[in-house]
Amino acid sequence: MNAMTARAGLLEGIRVLDLSRVMSGPFCTSMLADLGAEVIKVEMPGSGDEGRSFGPFVEGESSYFMLLNRNKKSVTVDMKSEDGHAVIRALIPKCDILVENFRPGVMARLGLDEPTVRQINPGIIYTSISGFGQDSPLKAWPAFDLVIQAMSGLMSLTGPRGGPATAVGESVADVCTGMFAAFGTLAALFDRERSGKGRHVDVAMLDSMMAMQLTGLARRLYMNDTPKPAGNRHPVTYPVDSFATTTGDVVMVCFSDKAFSALAELMGEPELAGDPRFSTNSARNDHEDLLRCRIAAWTGGLTQDAVIKSLLDAGIPAAPVWDMNQLVGSDHVAQRGLVETGHHRTLGDVPLVPQPVRFSGDDPQDAPTTPELGEHTEAVLRDVAGADDTMINRLRDNGTI
């Protein structure tokens, strides 16, 4: 069983109206789609989600967009037009969840804010994703991943010691927020099963990034300490760090005095464990530069495989530092089925990476798909909104869809 065959129908029968775009919202709804929800992705006619213009491209198709919008139905609707607004209002009563990630105030201008939508469908779960939340004094600020990383404190903790603030090498603020949004949406959906009431789920990118920084928060909130970049080392425990070998870098996690004693034995310097400069974690932190040089001299004379085997055999957690090619090509990814073969109507077979949680007792599912712009417009308007040929033709003729 792999991740995609394990998604099955946990959310079968749940319909999501996805008004989000770019990354945080689409990441949230992709997780719901992986679990069997029917996700109707609304895009602007002609241009679609802005994510369709983000590279890299395969035969003109955005691979970024394909990874983020698997198993969704693409419907093109101009929500700013009167007819487009009517189409969305016709879909709302047929949906369990609405997800949007516009800047606060935009949905109200479109006549689709939470109070208005709730009048149409009292039980709907209305999930709003934004940079700073619906009531923040910063709510009008434009929010992109780099903006949130900068303001969250994460950049101030990332990078080499003494170096400039550095962004994490992935859109972690968008992804983290999307996961929190999916979590909140499903919690509200579960509550509706008991109470019969819908909820407004308000998820902010800055809030999400703050909540995940437990080590930094522990130091700031309890010790009144402002953490600084520490490179690859753990900010509190040493040696928890990366080191070079003759064939690549390794990380090791000497999380206790016992583990350090085992490392000293491996290095051929057992006396280090009793040296007052290194005998406790506090002392090792105080004399980090000296200890780092001693460890680096040992790892620098061995291969990556030799260092990792020695550490693991001694009970010290260790791992190679992989690049993306090594990760994707690993036996782990193959065994766990983390890259699934999906289908695109134009490109044919495409690689997709679904949500990774596996569930027992599920039957294999059809291969995931990724939609072309507007691929499902007519089908959704007929089957969900109840439109007939006359209406669909009129909407096409006036550019609404």
Side-chain angles (χ1 to χ4, degrees), residues 184-227:
T185 298
L186 292 181
L189 187 66
F190 177 76
D191 178 72
R192 191 185 71 176
E193 293 301 303
R194 298 181 299 184
S195 68
K197 297 179 180 179
R199 287 180 181 264
H200 187 193
V201 181
D202 176 6
V203 189
M205 295 174 70
L206 187 59
D207 300 2
S208 300
M209 287 300 292
M210 180 175 175
M212 65 179 285
Q213 297 179 74
L214 299 181
T215 302
L217 288 171
R219 295 176 66 184
R220 171 59 184 83
L221 295 177
Y222 291 87
M223 307 302 294
N224 199 28
D225 178 24
T226 302

Side-chain angles (χ1 to χ4, degrees), residues 216-347:
L217 288 171
R219 295 176 66 184
R220 171 59 184 83
L221 295 177
Y222 291 87
M223 307 302 294
N224 199 28
D225 178 24
T226 302
K228 299 296 182 184
N232 292 332
R233 66 150 292 172
H234 190 275
V236 176
T237 306
Y238 203 79
V240 178
D241 207 341
S242 66
F243 297 90
T245 75
T246 60
T247 55
D249 289 355
V250 299
V251 296
M252 66 176 69
V253 183
C254 280
F255 57 90
S256 66
D257 294 343
K258 181 180 178 181
F260 179 71
S261 180
L263 174 62
E265 289 280 352
L266 291 178
M267 294 167 58
E269 300 184 74
E271 68 279 2
L272 292 181
D275 189 319
R277 297 172 298 175
F278 311 123
S279 58
T280 66
N281 181 62
S282 178
R284 290 191 290 274
N285 274 294
D286 290 342
H287 299 91
E288 176 196 338
D289 290 344
L290 178 58
L291 182 54
R292 183 194 303 273
C293 289
R294 304 284 277 270
I295 298 172
W298 173 65
T299 63
L302 299 170
T303 66
Q304 186 184 68
D305 288 345
V307 171
I308 291 171
K309 184 179 187 307
S310 295
L311 292 169
L312 294 179
D313 287 348
I316 302 170
V321 177
W322 281 350
D323 60 23
M324 192 61 66
N325 187 54
Q326 290 169 303
L327 170 65
V328 172
S330 69
D331 291 340
H332 173 85
V333 167
Q335 176 62 35
R336 298 285 291 181
L338 299 182
V339 179
E340 181 80 4
T341 299
H343 183 76
H344 186 274
R345 193 165 66 174
T346 300
L347 300 179

Side-chain angles (χ1 to χ4, degrees), residues 86-118:
V87 168
I88 299 300
R89 290 177 65 92
L91 292 173
I92 287 171
K94 307 297 180 63
C95 294
D96 301 279
I97 297 165
L98 183 152
V99 178
E100 60 91 8
N101 65 343
F102 291 96
R103 201 180 307 179
V106 171
M107 291 296 283
R109 291 197 294 274
L110 291 172
L112 295 170
D113 56 322
E114 189 267 341
T116 302
V117 168
R118 193 155 307 286

Side-chain angles (χ1 to χ4, degrees), residues 326-383:
Q326 290 169 303
L327 170 65
V328 172
S330 69
D331 291 340
H332 173 85
V333 167
Q335 176 62 35
R336 298 285 291 181
L338 299 182
V339 179
E340 181 80 4
T341 299
H343 183 76
H344 186 274
R345 193 165 66 174
T346 300
L347 300 179
D349 289 346
V350 293
L352 298 175
V353 180
Q355 68 83 27
V357 181
R358 295 165 61 158
F359 304 91
S360 64
D362 291 317
D363 297 325
Q365 302 294 297
D366 295 335
T369 60
T370 182
E372 288 188 324
L373 180 60
E375 181 178 342
H376 306 93
T377 301
E378 289 195 19
V380 168
L381 292 185
R382 292 181 195 279
D383 300 340

